[in-house]
Amino acid sequence: MNPLSIGLVQQRWTGSRATMVAATAAAVGRAAAAGAQLVVLQELHTGPYFCQTEDVAVFDLAEPIPGPSTAFFSQVAKEHGVVLVTSLFERRAPGLHHNTAVVFERDGSVAGRYRKMHIPDDPGFYEKFYFTPGDLGFTPIDTSVGRLGVLVCWDQWYPEAARLMAMAGAELLIYPTAIGWNPADPADEQARQRDAWVTIQRAHAVANGVPVVAVNRTGHEADPSGVSAGIRFWGTSFAAGPQGEVLAQAGSDDEAVLTVTVDRDRTADVRRIWPYFRDRRIDAYGGLERRWRD
Amino acid sequence: MNPLSIGLVQQRWTGSRATMVAATAAAVGRAAAAGAQLVVLQELHTGPYFCQTEDVAVFDLAEPIPGPSTAFFSQVAKEHGVVLVTSLFERRAPGLHHNTAVVFERDGSVAGRYRKMHIPDDPGFYEKFYFTPGDLGFTPIDTSVGRLGVLVCWDQWYPEAARLMAMAGAELLIYPTAIGWNPADPADEQARQRDAWVTIQRAHAVANGVPVVAVNRTGHEADPSGVSAGIRFWGTSFAAGPQGEVLAQAGSDDEAVLTVTVDRDRTADVRRIWPYFRDRRIDAYGGLERRWRD
């Protein structure tokens, strides 16, 4: 066994950046104290989920990379000696922003970054207004705990993204996310949505024979426009092994710091019994680069 | 609502072709009597699962298409007025065989065929000895009940196959399968395997916003060589809606004729709230046609 201990930090928005990042730093400390060597934070963890409306003033929340948030979380990673996966609102140029995951080494250096490739846009999630789709491709990030396939939220619905990360040698798929219920939806629809979200990410583990870690926000955040009932983030952060087996899962409505151990050698064992990569029909996959096969 | 009633026929090998096809015909009749307009059979339903050993004598089980089995099941489809998805061992030429799904119209005519594209080969499932990988591509079959994305067993582990079928307009993904446990495996491994099989197929529904139907064999079949403990096929045939929600599921060890109704209009509704096809990063998917990104 070649164990890796991973911390998952599921949080509620505190109402201010200062209290939020302090709470996050404390949670990283708790995960590290519990043995975590790698800690994963939720999507856009330094602020509210600000995409419920389209408001140009929100661009003031964005930061350059490097910038204040990377300086802060670099210190957090170094202080606790963990590899840390963060999710930031990147200001690249005036009028050009990304939803960017920055990964810090345990010494506080930047191991790499990933710019969210698939950008959603639906009522309450107006991300296309804020984020330009990523231009760094599906490129894993090498760290001292392994090659990490970091993806972000909406990417989780795309088997292509998981596959390309795994084919580039990712040993672990990681999804910081911000997804929740429309409180106006009926309970059965809410159940289907959360279950679909868990199912498709577990399936990425199965299809690619790698563990998956998903860290989601929790708590209700109001719609600043008052148009909708806001979003009740469904938490449910979890880790799955390379057969999609759930190893640990948080509740929907509470903050949580989970630590879970994955066996880095199991991927090779699972791929011996389920050698899907051996048999891909790459001669017949040309249509995947088309918009639609019509 | 635009309902389609689907019958799933999960069977145990009877020990002879004559009794097996008679039992299948009777089961199709029961599904039709229960209202099924489309009936799906399990993989290689006219015989045993013969791939537990490599034996040239087994090629005697293969048939041309058209041939005796297509003549028989054409009549079954016509008699009961159902669209029927069959799974046959196709003899295309001496030394050239396929694992082929043939779909019959309700009038008994052939609507189309699909040759299994991904071929497994692992202990007890020596399919590469028997089946040449399909050369008809991921092409759905048009029928009076809709455009069917018929895939077969090992294809179920490949998100690419489901995606390509959906992109070609498949309204339903259909998997005749033959998968089961090695009786020598411990219970926890058996549970992970079956759960992974259900999970990844439900995820194809989620990723593509289409219902999925999987029909699997049940019962124990001995290894003719006596080398292994044989295969205990795990049944668990099921249908899921376009959010991956399980609509009906058979048990693992019993024969079953399930009928389940899907709403053909729900796919469009689900794709309005989850418009994944809108946002695919086709500019960045080039690596999918490679063997490995090294």
Side-chain angles (χ1 to χ4, degrees), chain A residues 4-19:
Chain A
L4 172 65
S5 179
I6 306 170
L8 291 70
V9 177
Q10 171 174 306
Q11 294 180 279
R12 186 181 294 270
W13 168 234
T14 59
S16 80
R17 176 190 158 90
T19 55

Side-chain angles (χ1 to χ4, degrees), chain A residues 70-93:
Chain A
T70 57
F72 181 84
F73 287 103
S74 164
Q75 279 304 114
V76 172
K78 184 176 179 180
E79 177 182 347
H80 298 293
V82 295
V83 173
L84 182 63
V85 178
T86 66
S87 170
L88 304 173
F89 184 17
E90 178 183 6
R91 179 181 183 275
R92 190 172 179 185

